[in-house]
Amino acid sequence: MTTTITTNKPFHIDKKRVYEAYKAVKSNAGSAGVDEQTIEQFDSDLQNNLYKLWNRMSSGSYFPPPVRAVSIPKKAGGQRILGVPTVADRVAQMVVKQLIEPDLDPIFLADSYGYRPRKSALDAIGVTRKRCWKYDWVLEFDIKGLFDNIDHELLLRAVRKHVTCKWALLYIERWLTAPMDKDGIIIERTRGTPQGGVISPILSNLFLHYTFDLWMGRAHPDLPWCRYADDGLVHCRSEQEAEALKAELQTRLAECGLEMHPTKTRIVYCKDSRRKGSYSNVKFDFLGYCFRPRRAKNSQDASVFCSFLPGVSASALKSMRAAIRDLNLRRRTHVSMADIARQLNPLLRGWIEYYGRFTRAALGPILRYVNQTIEAWMMRKFKRFMGRKAKPGRVLERLSRERPGLFAHWKIGIRGSFA
């Protein structure tokens, strides 16, 4: 699947493009769609599967199958419905995504961070931290059910403005209306783009580019904002300005068929040592970080003051503890400590890399929990520690000094505390 087509198909699609899309889909993993075919099963007859997909897409006869509806729990409670396409359909969507992204991404504004190459959630956290120091107030907003409620007509108007490839337009329209299979019941769709689809993030970004990003530039060019998918922040100079903006934004979203989330949208006062006023809301969560007043130290004279800073959020810490509990390490007495480290370190490295970028000390509770989990494992594995709870802690403390590379948080000098 690496040669250029030479046939007289209606649409000229390079076979290599299909193969490159497949490699991207495989690297992202993912579960099976309605046909129950896994990536491994797709791989077992790879050349034939890719050829059939290329042939149908090139001839215009490719119609996406229904997406499989999967319910996953939300952090704040309730369920979110993901639409899982088949492996072949994910490859087809990736073909179009990789085709249109080089043309679409450059039109997006600098403060749109979600689902974009060379931009990350940490970039959004960093710029937000600096702006909270400059502006006293923040409007934190969330769009309720964005992926389920995107207006197809408005979206296609934007797509047709920027995408000129006929076959890409054809398949985008077909994906938007592909039905959803929920426990064998076929549900027709007239709005939205399935959360879980490969093409959905860039389409939702395009929709919000016109709905919010450009609108902010016209209506409030002097107020900085930051958006990551359907989560956004606007920095304001006063509470009154934030209240007025909230009402305006609510009207704007309604004009585009969207709704501001009633409980996740609020106005926050960025309280610190310089800001003497008081307000009921002085913290907000954004991309796994909690922005709130925190103790800070002056780098010049070491004096302590209050600053408005991001640190890992309570909900993120709760998710991390749950991830460790799910490993059931305390009862795995048949394995060695090196085996425990091999299981924990990929998680720890990821958490430290993301949540340790800002206010690393806020990771203390989860790192203490990791040490407590290792201690509990030692108590079960080595009977000599039974009834002597303090001793495994001392052994771990010594081990963390002698072998700091054993666990990821020891290596960088974050050990938490030992019992």
Side-chain angles (χ1 to χ4, degrees), residues 344-360:
L344 277 176
N345 281 339
L347 291 175
L348 292 171
R349 280 192 289 268
W351 294 336
I352 292 168
E353 182 180 351
Y354 184 77
Y355 295 108
R357 181 73 64 86
F358 303 99
T359 317
R360 181 173 280 184

Side-chain angles (χ1 to χ4, degrees), residues 188-222:
E188 299 298 326
R189 295 173 44 252
T190 58
R191 299 177 67 82
T193 178
Q195 188 169 1
V198 173
I199 199 74
S200 296
I202 195 167
L203 294 181
S204 65
N205 255 348
L206 181 61
F207 190 81
L208 288 181
H209 173 71
Y210 282 98
T211 298
F212 174 77
D213 303 356
L214 292 182
W215 175 80
M216 275 298 299
R218 292 192 306 269
H220 299 280
D222 54 337

Side-chain angles (χ1 to χ4, degrees), residues 34-51:
V34 292
D35 60 357
E36 299 184 351
Q37 183 184 51
T38 64
I39 290 179
E40 291 73 23
Q41 291 169 333
F42 188 88
D43 280 351
S44 66
D45 192 13
L46 181 61
Q47 187 169 353
N48 188 44
N49 285 331
L50 291 183
Y51 178 82

Side-chain angles (χ1 to χ4, degrees), residues 168-238:
L169 287 169
L170 173 69
Y171 293 126
I172 288 172
E173 291 186 33
R174 289 179 183 176
W175 281 314
L176 288 177
T177 56
M180 185 168 283
D181 184 318
K182 188 172 185 180
D183 300 323
I185 301 173
I186 301 299
I187 303 170
E188 299 298 326
R189 295 173 44 252
T190 58
R191 299 177 67 82
T193 178
Q195 188 169 1
V198 173
I199 199 74
S200 296
I202 195 167
L203 294 181
S204 65
N205 255 348
L206 181 61
F207 190 81
L208 288 181
H209 173 71
Y210 282 98
T211 298
F212 174 77
D213 303 356
L214 292 182
W215 175 80
M216 275 298 299
R218 292 192 306 269
H220 299 280
D222 54 337
L223 297 183
W225 56 270
C226 173
R227 182 178 63 78
Y228 195 99
D230 54 351
D231 293 328
L233 306 166
V234 183
H235 299 265
C236 300
R237 292 159 293 210
S238 68

Side-chain angles (χ1 to χ4, degrees), residues 386-406:
M386 292 297 291
R388 303 166 68 183
K389 188 176 180 182
K391 191 169 182 180
R394 290 199 298 271
V395 171
L396 272 188
E397 190 171 12
R398 185 180 72 246
L399 190 62
S400 72
R401 292 193 300 269
E402 295 173 352
R403 297 180 60 192
L406 183 57

Side-chain angles (χ1 to χ4, degrees), residues 276-290:
K276 303 303 181 183
S278 62
Y279 190 70
S280 56
N281 290 333
V282 293
K283 64 179 181 179
F284 65 89
D285 285 3
F286 185 51
L287 303 176
Y289 274 83
C290 178

